[in-house]
Amino acid sequence: MKRTYSFVDNDTIEIEGHKLRRIMAVFGIHGVVKPGELGGYIEHEGNLDSLVDSGRDGQCWVGGDAAVFGSAKVCENARVWGNAVVKDSAVVMGHARVAEFARVYENARVTGNSCVRDSAQVYNDAVLCDNATVSGYSLIRGNARLGDNCFVSEMAEISGMIRLSGRAHIRGHARVSSMSPYLHLGPIGTNDEFITAHHDIELGIRVNYNSFTGTTNEMQDLIYTRLRDIELVRTNTQLRRLDALFDAINNSFDINPKVLDRDRDA
């Protein structure tokens, strides 16, 4: 068996006491890298499992100036690129993507079609699977598990034993954990849309619905204005149901949650 890459002589970097070497593609990966194209940096062959044999072509790749070291592993059809870092005992597998300045470390797992991008971090024993996406400066830690089509963005922090699923969208300065859970409601309307509500250190309660994000009062005003625009009156059954919905959201949360300390140490 042969590897899809070789090491480039005299092109090394040192990170946290680990010496990493740049790789170069020996065999192309369609749509990803051509033979002879330079990739990112890895510490040893165990970091990038790209073997070519009679039955299977290795499709995983580390590109750009990305770095993978320690006991970390990129395998199957996973890709790591940009300036991303995967280290310690973290694993990126399946069709997962880790890009830009994202970091995956400790015992974290990024699998399925999940994606970590921007400056987001996934660490401790956290797991991303299915089509979960984490972006912005978000932190996913503890034993958090993100699956289905959930999306975490901006400055959100997910921790503890929490499980995110469905089409939950956590954003802003969210703090979601086993001690401070989120509320995911839906499907709603003819387009099967969802509302996600959660604690936020700026707003108290943040409500996300499609492109809207804000307080429950702001969302109520927005919806009622739209309903008035199409000549529905406030006594309509649909409006009473919406009032009950927002009452349920407000009653589900402590308006003054304890703010969790952010930990961005790598």
Side-chain angles (χ1 to χ4, degrees):
M1 294 185 292
K2 298 180 180 179
R3 291 194 177 273
T4 58
Y5 62 88
S6 62
F7 288 102
V8 179
D9 293 334
N10 302 318
D11 192 343
T12 63
I13 59 173
E14 185 170 325
I15 304 177
E16 300 176 12
H18 296 262
K19 183 178 181 180
L20 282 64
R21 295 181 287 174
R22 189 182 288 278
I23 60 173
M24 180 179 68
V26 175
F27 300 94
I29 300 175
H30 181 70
V32 179
V33 63
K34 298 177 181 179
E37 187 173 338
L38 295 178
Y41 293 89
I42 65 175
E43 185 176 8
H44 51 78
E45 291 181 344
N47 296 136
L48 181 60
D49 184 22
S50 288
L51 292 174
V52 177
D53 58 31
S54 58
R56 177 178 62 88
D57 288 349
Q59 296 291 306
C60 53
W61 186 247
V62 175
D65 290 316
V68 182
F69 58 97
S71 298
K73 188 171 187 176
V74 179
C75 58
E76 298 178 355
N77 294 288
R79 312 277 161 75
V80 179
W81 70 88
N83 291 281
V85 172
V86 180
K87 64 177 184 175
D88 302 326
S89 297
V91 176
V92 183
M93 60 188 297
H95 290 82
R97 305 290 184 261
V98 180
E100 296 162 357
F101 293 91
R103 300 172 71 85
V104 180
Y105 53 103
E106 294 182 353
N107 296 303
R109 298 288 184 271
V110 181
T111 71
N113 293 298
S114 56
C115 178
V116 186
R117 64 174 191 253
D118 299 328
S119 296
Q121 298 184 34
V122 182
Y123 57 107
N124 292 152
D125 295 297
V127 175
L128 269 63
C129 60
D130 302 326
N131 297 295
T133 298
V134 180
S135 66
Y137 291 89
S138 299
L139 300 179
I140 313 299
R141 66 181 187 177
N143 290 287
R145 184 181 181 93
L146 281 61
D148 293 336
N149 294 289
C150 66
F151 188 80
V152 180
S153 62
E154 299 176 14
M155 301 286 288
E157 182 176 322
I158 314 297
S159 61
M161 298 289 294
I162 197 73
R163 299 292 183 265
L164 265 63
S165 59
R167 283 189 273 168
H169 188 176
I170 309 296
R171 61 190 300 181
H173 288 78
R175 295 295 183 272
V176 176
S177 70
S178 51
M179 299 299 293
S180 178
Y182 71 105
L183 188 64
H184 190 48
L185 304 172
I188 298 170
T190 57
N191 294 323
D192 290 339
E193 296 160 335
F194 289 80
I195 292 175
T196 307
H198 54 75
H199 284 311
D200 185 279
I201 62 174
E202 288 190 333
L203 302 184
I205 298 175
R206 181 181 293 273
V207 180
N208 305 312
Y209 179 69
N210 291 338
S211 61
F212 171 85
T213 182
T215 65
T216 52
N217 288 337
E218 290 170 342
M219 187 171 182
Q220 281 179 295
D221 290 343
L222 175 65
I223 291 177
Y224 294 147
T225 298
R226 288 179 178 176
L227 290 174
R228 284 195 298 270
D229 288 343
I230 58 176
E231 300 179 351
L232 288 176
V233 296
R234 184 64 182 269
T235 56
N236 187 287
T237 300
Q238 182 179 13
L239 289 176
R240 291 199 299 271
R241 289 175 177 172
L242 286 170
D243 284 336
L245 170 66
F246 289 115
D247 285 344
I249 291 174
N250 284 319
N251 291 334
S252 296
F253 294 93
D254 175 3
I255 300 298
N256 297 304
K258 180 180 179 181
V259 177
L260 299 176
D261 291 334
R262 295 183 65 80
D263 175 9
R264 293 194 173 276
D265 294 335

